[in-house]
Amino acid sequence: MKRFRRYLSNIAVFLISFLLAILIWILASQANDPVLFQSMELPIDFVGQPEDSTLELTNDSIVIVVEAPTSVLSSLTSDSFSAVVDLSQAPLSEEVSLPITVNTKVPGVAVNPPSPEHVEVRLDKLISREIPVVLNIRGSVARGHTQGTPLIDPEIITVVGTAEQVNPLNTARATVFLDNTRHTFSASPFLVFYDRTGQIASINGLDSVSNESVSVTIPVEESADFAEKIIDVEWEGSPADGYRLLGISVDPPSALLQGLPTRLNALTQITTEPIDITGLTETFSQPIALDLPDGITLDEVQVYNVTVEIEPILSTAVYNRPIEFQGVEEGVTAAADPEEARVVLFGPLPILDSLTEDEVHVTVDAFGLMTGTYSLEPVVTFPDRGLELRSVSPPLIIVELTPDITPSLAVTTTQTTTATSPVYEGIVTAAAQTNTSSVDHAVYPFLHPAARRLHLSFLFERNKL
């Protein structure tokens, strides 16, 4: 008996130890990989919707809270779950609340009830109707023309929607505008739907509309005793020299004629009375009369105006003009290289022919410049008569500014040299400042290079003596 009790005691100790080991393992596992909570949004998948039905719902997504170990939770996405609503048993044309079933695709994950747990839905049966297209024509064709039977493509519009949306629709109206149309008219107007009371009806929310616009063609032809012919202007002479005829036009360009069909068909165009453009120098407009054949009359009295466009012939002219200076300081001499510039002007030939060379000036501005050599841009001026400067060559003028040479020193020694140059004589006068016949250092830097060379020659000749 004692042995049996000892045996039972050992079994109890073993079971308790085993349970404690499992508990310790579970606690250790949770310490290393704790269980956490996470919320996520799921789209609702509606299944079992009857064919030819439309679905209206309050919302199409839910929020769930999942519970799982950290290692599992980090890999979860919305694709790991599914939210399903079964529509197979939902009645038509009635709003009902259906439960949302959430399923998980990952084991070991607990899902709390979703929010919301139900979704409000309404199923309606889709029906289709054929709506006739009605053409609304505003305006009319031109006088002397006949409007044919309009063609509409398509003539029927098919709409699909719920009975509440489709049944009120009555017609689809297409509106076109004819403004004295003379030729076959084509347009693609958008449709406006009207209900049975004649009010505009909205088609927003319809499942489908076969066409939102139609193609409209309205044949337009001339009446049997009317015809529209192009007007051809008769003219003679030529513009003044230096001018050309740019074009002749008449407004309106055609005339509606009335007469026997045989005579009208024989005409290709009608002409005006001749106009004389001899010696014209500018564009002008004036009323003009039509030269109508016998038996042909205008459908209605109308003023026809002819416009003759005259413009001067455009050309170029070349002028070689001397360089003029302005702003040169007193006591400074300016020299240009080259001394002339080539100017090309563009404009009406009569203006160029009347322009004299003295009216074209090429000027270089030396204002504020000290002595030295400069590259300056010339300025071309000419009368403002519609002319345009095309080019000036060269684009830069070399300008040398040098001081004027004025005698300031008297000769104090007698020289036996036989120089006869005026520049040389000026240097001789300036060089005899002292017994050594040298030029003052303050004066020497301002001498012209040629004067300096003459001065050195003078000293050389003196030393030889």
Side-chain angles (χ1 to χ4, degrees):
M1 187 69 179
K2 291 182 179 179
R3 183 179 299 174
F4 181 73
R5 290 178 178 175
R6 189 180 299 113
Y7 179 75
L8 291 177
S9 176
N10 291 336
I11 293 175
V13 171
F14 175 77
L15 292 175
I16 293 172
S17 299
F18 180 74
L19 292 175
L20 288 175
I22 293 176
L23 179 61
I24 292 173
W25 178 80
I26 292 175
L27 293 175
S29 298
Q30 290 183 348
N32 294 329
D33 192 9
V35 175
L36 298 178
F37 296 88
Q38 179 177 319
S39 64
M40 60 179 61
E41 185 177 1
L42 298 179
I44 301 177
D45 184 16
F46 296 90
V47 298
Q49 180 177 349
E51 294 183 0
D52 298 330
S53 66
T54 180
L55 174 64
E56 295 181 9
L57 45 87
T58 55
N59 55 289
D60 57 0
S61 64
I62 60 170
V63 176
I64 62 171
V65 177
V66 298
E67 180 182 355
T70 304
S71 59
V72 177
L73 197 62
S74 61
S75 62
L76 295 179
T77 64
S78 60
D79 294 333
S80 304
F81 307 90
S82 63
V84 180
V85 173
D86 186 6
L87 301 174
S88 60
Q89 302 301 320
L92 293 174
S93 303
E94 182 179 340
E95 187 171 321
V96 295
S97 178
L98 299 179
I100 303 172
T101 303
V102 178
N103 300 313
T104 178
K105 304 174 185 178
V106 180
V109 178
V111 180
N112 293 332
S115 177
E117 297 183 21
H118 293 77
V119 61
E120 304 292 330
V121 300
R122 177 187 173 93
L123 288 173
D124 286 290
K125 185 174 180 58
L126 291 176
I127 63 174
S128 65
R129 280 194 59 205
E130 292 184 344
I131 308 298
V133 177
V134 176
L135 181 61
N136 178 28
I137 301 177
R138 297 186 180 183
S140 61
V141 298
R143 180 175 171 83
H145 293 73
T146 303
Q147 174 184 316
T149 302
L151 304 175
I152 305 174
D153 184 29
E155 297 181 349
I156 298 296
I157 303 299
T158 301
V159 296
V160 177
T162 64
E164 183 180 358
Q165 297 171 324
V166 170
N167 287 335
L169 300 178
N170 186 37
T171 60
R173 185 177 300 176
T175 302
V176 296
F177 298 87
L178 300 180
D179 185 14
N180 291 323
T181 304
R182 301 173 183 271
H183 307 283
T184 297
F185 175 86
S186 297
S188 299
F190 285 95
L191 297 173
V192 178
F193 290 82
Y194 286 80
D195 60 20
R196 301 181 188 277
T197 64
Q199 302 296 318
I200 295 178
S202 173
I203 58 173
N204 292 333
L206 288 177
D207 189 70
S208 66
V209 179
S210 61
N211 295 83
E212 294 187 1
S213 65
V214 294
S215 175
V216 177
T217 302
I218 302 177
V220 177
E221 298 178 351
E222 293 180 346
S223 301
D225 53 350
F226 290 89
E228 188 168 359
K229 301 298 180 180
I230 298 298
I231 299 175
D232 182 38
V233 179
E234 291 285 341
W235 55 276
E236 57 188 19
S238 59
D241 292 340
Y243 293 84
R244 66 171 181 168
L245 175 62
L246 187 60
I248 299 179
S249 60
V250 62
D251 183 36
S254 61
L256 182 61
L257 306 179
Q258 187 173 9
L260 295 176
T262 55
R263 293 195 176 186
L264 290 175
N265 293 335
L267 288 176
T268 57
Q269 61 184 18
I270 56 175
T271 60
T272 65
E273 293 183 352
I275 58 173
D276 189 4
I277 65 171
T278 302
L280 294 182
T281 59
E282 60 183 8
T283 297
F284 78 96
S285 297
Q286 69 178 37
I288 194 168
L290 301 181
D291 186 12
L292 298 177
D294 293 338
I296 301 297
T297 60
L298 290 173
D299 174 61
E300 57 184 359
V301 177
Q302 187 171 356
V303 176
Y304 295 88
N305 290 297
V306 64
T307 300
V308 179
E309 297 181 74
I310 304 293
E311 70 172 9
I313 299 174
L314 301 179
S315 183
T316 58
V318 178
Y319 301 86
N320 293 313
R321 300 299 297 147
I323 306 299
E324 302 176 19
F325 297 95
Q326 64 179 14
V328 178
E329 298 289 342
E330 185 178 357
V332 177
T333 300
D337 183 17
E339 297 180 350
E340 287 186 343
R342 182 176 182 269
V343 177
V344 179
L345 299 182
F346 174 80
L349 183 59
I351 302 299
L352 291 174
D353 290 341
S354 63
L355 186 68
T356 64
E357 289 198 352
D358 292 339
E359 293 179 288
V360 180
H361 300 273
V362 180
T363 307
V364 173
D365 188 3
F367 180 78
L369 298 180
M370 305 296 292
T371 56
T373 303
Y374 302 90
S375 294
L376 302 180
E377 183 177 355
V379 177
V380 180
T381 57
F382 48 88
D384 185 10
R385 301 175 189 168
L387 298 177
E388 175 187 337
L389 176 63
R390 278 299 173 89
S391 67
V392 56
S393 178
L396 295 176
I397 303 297
I398 307 299
V399 177
E400 185 176 3
L401 301 178
T402 57
D404 294 340
I405 300 176
T406 56
S408 60
L409 301 176
V411 178
T412 58
T413 60
T414 302
Q415 305 300 330
T416 61
T417 56
T418 60
T420 59
S421 170
V423 177
Y424 187 84
E425 293 176 357
I427 296 306
V428 170
T429 302
Q433 179 183 1
T434 63
N435 292 334
T436 60
S437 300
S438 62
V439 178
D440 190 348
H441 292 289
V443 176
Y444 192 84
F446 296 97
L447 294 180
H448 191 278
R452 297 180 187 176
R453 291 194 295 270
L454 290 174
H455 175 245
L456 294 176
S457 298
F458 169 74
L459 294 179
F460 178 76
E461 294 293 336
R462 176 190 171 115
N463 291 334
K464 287 172 61 178
L465 294 175

mmCIF file of all heavy atoms in Angstrom, residues 160-175:
data_model
loop_
_atom_site.group_PDB
_atom_site.id
_atom_site.type_symbol
_atom_site.label_atom_id
_atom_site.label_comp_id
_atom_site.label_asym_id
_atom_site.label_seq_id
_atom_site.Cartn_x
_atom_site.Cartn_y
_atom_site.Cartn_z
ATOM 1 N N VAL A 160 -28.738 52.520 -69.922
ATOM 2 C CA VAL A 160 -28.871 51.408 -68.980
ATOM 3 C C VAL A 160 -28.752 51.978 -67.581
ATOM 4 O O VAL A 160 -27.812 52.731 -67.274
ATOM 5 C CB VAL A 160 -27.787 50.334 -69.224
ATOM 6 C CG1 VAL A 160 -27.905 49.224 -68.184
ATOM 7 C CG2 VAL A 160 -27.895 49.769 -70.627
ATOM 8 N N GLY A 161 -29.704 51.605 -66.707
ATOM 9 C CA GLY A 161 -29.700 52.064 -65.330
ATOM 10 C C GLY A 161 -30.842 51.441 -64.578
ATOM 11 O O GLY A 161 -31.514 50.505 -65.061
ATOM 12 N N THR A 162 -31.084 51.933 -63.383
ATOM 13 C CA THR A 162 -32.208 51.436 -62.612
ATOM 14 C C THR A 162 -33.507 51.995 -63.188
ATOM 15 O O THR A 162 -33.505 52.974 -63.944
ATOM 16 C CB THR A 162 -32.065 51.843 -61.146
ATOM 17 O OG1 THR A 162 -32.117 53.285 -61.048
ATOM 18 C CG2 THR A 162 -30.730 51.368 -60.582
ATOM 19 N N ALA A 163 -34.592 51.365 -62.827
ATOM 20 C CA ALA A 163 -35.892 51.825 -63.314
ATOM 21 C C ALA A 163 -36.167 53.249 -62.881
ATOM 22 O O ALA A 163 -36.728 54.048 -63.630
ATOM 23 C CB ALA A 163 -36.992 50.891 -62.804
ATOM 24 N N GLU A 164 -35.713 53.607 -61.697
ATOM 25 C CA GLU A 164 -35.905 54.966 -61.194
ATOM 26 C C GLU A 164 -35.137 55.980 -62.027
ATOM 27 O O GLU A 164 -35.565 57.126 -62.188
ATOM 28 C CB GLU A 164 -35.461 55.025 -59.727
ATOM 29 C CG GLU A 164 -35.678 56.368 -59.061
ATOM 30 C CD GLU A 164 -35.213 56.363 -57.620
ATOM 31 O OE1 GLU A 164 -34.756 55.303 -57.134
ATOM 32 O OE2 GLU A 164 -35.307 57.421 -56.967
ATOM 33 N N GLN A 165 -33.983 55.570 -62.578
ATOM 34 C CA GLN A 165 -33.179 56.473 -63.388
ATOM 35 C C GLN A 165 -33.635 56.516 -64.837
ATOM 36 O O GLN A 165 -33.618 57.572 -65.476
ATOM 37 C CB GLN A 165 -31.703 56.041 -63.337
ATOM 38 C CG GLN A 165 -31.063 56.114 -61.969
ATOM 39 C CD GLN A 165 -29.687 55.473 -61.950
ATOM 40 O OE1 GLN A 165 -29.458 54.469 -62.631
ATOM 41 N NE2 GLN A 165 -28.776 56.036 -61.178
ATOM 42 N N VAL A 166 -34.041 55.383 -65.380
ATOM 43 C CA VAL A 166 -34.285 55.266 -66.819
ATOM 44 C C VAL A 166 -35.703 55.658 -67.215
ATOM 45 O O VAL A 166 -35.921 56.323 -68.231
ATOM 46 C CB VAL A 166 -33.966 53.825 -67.281
ATOM 47 C CG1 VAL A 166 -34.432 53.593 -68.705
ATOM 48 C CG2 VAL A 166 -32.468 53.573 -67.159
ATOM 49 N N ASN A 167 -36.689 55.260 -66.428
ATOM 50 C CA ASN A 167 -38.087 55.448 -66.833
ATOM 51 C C ASN A 167 -38.482 56.902 -67.057
ATOM 52 O O ASN A 167 -39.288 57.183 -67.951
ATOM 53 C CB ASN A 167 -39.010 54.801 -65.801
ATOM 54 C CG ASN A 167 -38.984 53.274 -65.886
ATOM 55 O OD1 ASN A 167 -38.682 52.709 -66.944
ATOM 56 N ND2 ASN A 167 -39.283 52.600 -64.789
ATOM 57 N N PRO A 168 -37.961 57.894 -66.309
ATOM 58 C CA PRO A 168 -38.385 59.275 -66.572
ATOM 59 C C PRO A 168 -37.881 59.839 -67.899
ATOM 60 O O PRO A 168 -38.415 60.844 -68.376
ATOM 61 C CB PRO A 168 -37.792 60.059 -65.384
ATOM 62 C CG PRO A 168 -37.548 59.050 -64.325
ATOM 63 C CD PRO A 168 -37.174 57.806 -65.068
ATOM 64 N N LEU A 169 -36.839 59.263 -68.501
ATOM 65 C CA LEU A 169 -36.270 59.820 -69.725
ATOM 66 C C LEU A 169 -37.228 59.675 -70.891
ATOM 67 O O LEU A 169 -37.860 58.622 -71.070
ATOM 68 C CB LEU A 169 -34.935 59.139 -70.049
ATOM 69 C CG LEU A 169 -33.832 59.269 -68.991
ATOM 70 C CD1 LEU A 169 -32.587 58.515 -69.434
ATOM 71 C CD2 LEU A 169 -33.511 60.726 -68.722
ATOM 72 N N ASN A 170 -37.318 60.733 -71.724
ATOM 73 C CA ASN A 170 -38.263 60.724 -72.835
ATOM 74 C C ASN A 170 -37.575 60.901 -74.181
ATOM 75 O O ASN A 170 -37.780 60.107 -75.100
ATOM 76 C CB ASN A 170 -39.310 61.818 -72.639
ATOM 77 C CG ASN A 170 -40.407 61.756 -73.681
ATOM 78 O OD1 ASN A 170 -40.826 60.675 -74.094
ATOM 79 N ND2 ASN A 170 -40.860 62.912 -74.125
ATOM 80 N N THR A 171 -36.743 61.955 -74.317
ATOM 81 C CA THR A 171 -36.059 62.231 -75.587
ATOM 82 C C THR A 171 -34.632 62.697 -75.330
ATOM 83 O O THR A 171 -34.290 63.159 -74.233
ATOM 84 C CB THR A 171 -36.798 63.320 -76.398
ATOM 85 O OG1 THR A 171 -36.852 64.531 -75.622
ATOM 86 C CG2 THR A 171 -38.201 62.881 -76.767
ATOM 87 N N ALA A 172 -33.818 62.589 -76.384
ATOM 88 C CA ALA A 172 -32.463 63.147 -76.389
ATOM 89 C C ALA A 172 -32.420 64.188 -77.500
ATOM 90 O O ALA A 172 -32.603 63.840 -78.674
ATOM 91 C CB ALA A 172 -31.425 62.064 -76.606
ATOM 92 N N ARG A 173 -32.179 65.458 -77.149
ATOM 93 C CA ARG A 173 -32.283 66.539 -78.119
ATOM 94 C C ARG A 173 -30.902 66.990 -78.584
ATOM 95 O O ARG A 173 -30.001 67.228 -77.769
ATOM 96 C CB ARG A 173 -33.027 67.726 -77.506
ATOM 97 C CG ARG A 173 -33.303 68.875 -78.472
ATOM 98 C CD ARG A 173 -34.103 69.961 -77.793
ATOM 99 N NE ARG A 173 -35.392 69.449 -77.313
ATOM 100 C CZ ARG A 173 -36.260 70.191 -76.611
ATOM 101 N NH1 ARG A 173 -35.959 71.459 -76.320
ATOM 102 N NH2 ARG A 173 -37.399 69.674 -76.208
ATOM 103 N N ALA A 174 -30.758 67.110 -79.906
ATOM 104 C CA ALA A 174 -29.531 67.630 -80.515
ATOM 105 C C ALA A 174 -29.872 68.953 -81.188
ATOM 106 O O ALA A 174 -30.770 69.001 -82.036
ATOM 107 C CB ALA A 174 -28.966 66.648 -81.533
ATOM 108 N N THR A 175 -29.147 70.022 -80.837
ATOM 109 C CA THR A 175 -29.425 71.356 -81.361
ATOM 110 C C THR A 175 -28.305 71.796 -82.283
ATOM 111 O O THR A 175 -27.123 71.708 -81.924
ATOM 112 C CB THR A 175 -29.582 72.367 -80.213
ATOM 113 O OG1 THR A 175 -30.635 71.932 -79.341
ATOM 114 C CG2 THR A 175 -29.923 73.748 -80.745
#
